[in-house]
Amino acid sequence: MEKKEKSNEIEEVEAFPFINGENIDLCPRNSKLAKVYVCWKNHPRVRKYARNVVPRTIEDQSKRFERRTEGLVDHISLDVWHKKDNKPIGQIGLSRIDWINSWANTFLQIGEPDYWNKDIGTEATELLVEYAFNELNLNKLHGGVAVDNIGSWSVAGKIGFKLEGVKKHEMYVDGKYVDTKIFQLLKEDWVKGKQD
Ligand SMILES: CC(C)(COP(=O)(O)OP(=O)(O)OC[C@H]1O[C@@H](n2cnc3c(N)ncnc32)[C@H](O)[C@@H]1OP(=O)(O)O)[C@@H](O)C(=O)NCCC(=O)NCCS
């Protein structure tokens, strides 16, 4: 049987921009895009450093849209929507949000490799940081990146994240343990960086 390469054609879906950027908008996630999200989660190159090591099904993805009704939100995820091409190309957000101590972990995934190294991850992270500090009133953001994932830590560096430490043998990638760089950005440093 001939194996058909999974195409990532996106059915007509409306975007509801939540945050406007220059080349991208950040939009709420959309259950109509479940297939697209599953495609990104399972893509061998995209999932390598995102550590999606368990195959994802459409059913798994659809369950993620079921709203939790209790407690404070501790996870905010947004689609990265390419304005010119009018389509979603990735996702970005905050996880493990700690509202008492005012910090969160950041995550970013550009699910369409054709859009890598075009400054989109950087623009998306700038928008997320502004939202986290100036709208959500968070005080510190951090993220962990495998030392080999140059794209990710380049983005962190361009935004002004500082290296906080290195965790030894924190990830298992391609048959070997790799170290993880831990980055942090304090609101006061980010504000100062914008004034300089
Ligand atoms: C990592 C990722 C988020 C980066 O997003 P992006 O849109 O490609 O990022 P940008 O284009 O804004 O910046 C990437 C930078 O890394 C640099 N870079 C990437 N790979 C590189 C390499 N192998 N060597 C040197 N520089 C490299 C690019 O040149 C660019 O820097 P520049 O603008 O100074 O030229 C994206 O590639 C991705 O989603 N990858 C798959 C999922 C993933 O790894 N997520 C992170 C899990 S922690």
Side-chain angles (χ1 to χ4, degrees), residues 127-193:
L127 296 173
L128 183 79
V129 167
E130 166 108 39
Y131 167 62
F133 288 152
N134 281 350
E135 211 171 325
L136 298 181
N137 197 21
L138 295 177
N139 183 51
K140 181 180 179 182
L141 298 173
H142 46 80
V145 177
V147 287
D148 308 2
N149 190 353
I150 303 174
S152 252
W153 55 257
S154 299
V155 170
K158 282 192 277 181
I159 304 287
F161 279 75
K162 302 268 185 321
L163 186 66
E164 195 167 46
V166 174
K167 286 189 173 179
K168 301 299 286 181
H169 287 201
E170 186 72 3
M171 281 190 200
Y172 189 67
V173 184
D174 287 347
K176 60 179 186 351
Y177 289 103
V178 295
D179 299 346
T180 302
K181 291 182 172 192
I182 306 298
F183 288 95
Q184 57 83 13
L185 180 62
L186 293 179
K187 182 173 180 181
E188 61 191 36
D189 292 338
W190 174 74
V191 170
K192 195 167 171 293

Side-chain angles (χ1 to χ4, degrees), residues 35-130:
K35 270 189 197 169
V36 178
Y37 303 146
V38 169
C39 191
W40 296 341
K41 291 272 191 268
N42 290 311
H43 190 299
R45 285 172 67 207
V46 177
R47 72 183 185 81
K48 179 175 174 181
Y49 291 112
R51 305 316 299 131
N52 296 329
V53 294
V54 176
R56 296 287 179 90
T57 64
I58 303 246
E59 289 71 26
D60 298 333
Q61 189 60 47
S62 300
K63 281 202 193 104
R64 298 180 82 94
F65 290 105
E66 288 165 17
R67 223 192 212 302
R68 277 178 296 166
T69 50
E70 282 175 35
L72 284 170
V73 169
D74 65 356
H75 187 103
I76 296 175
S77 183
L78 292 153
D79 284 349
V80 177
W81 193 282
H82 196 280
K83 285 160 73 148
K84 190 164 144 281
D85 296 350
N86 193 28
K87 63 177 198 171
I89 55 167
Q91 52 197 227
I92 189 164
L94 304 166
S95 60
R96 303 198 294 272
I97 305 171
D98 180 333
W99 295 108
I100 307 291
N101 299 302
S102 303
W103 60 258
N105 181 62
T106 58
F107 63 87
L108 167 65
Q109 183 178 66
I110 303 299
E112 307 285 340
D114 288 352
Y115 291 84
W116 288 357
N117 298 327
K118 294 185 173 164
D119 254 351
I120 289 171
T122 304
E123 184 179 346
T125 308
E126 274 167 357
L127 296 173
L128 183 79
V129 167
E130 166 108 39

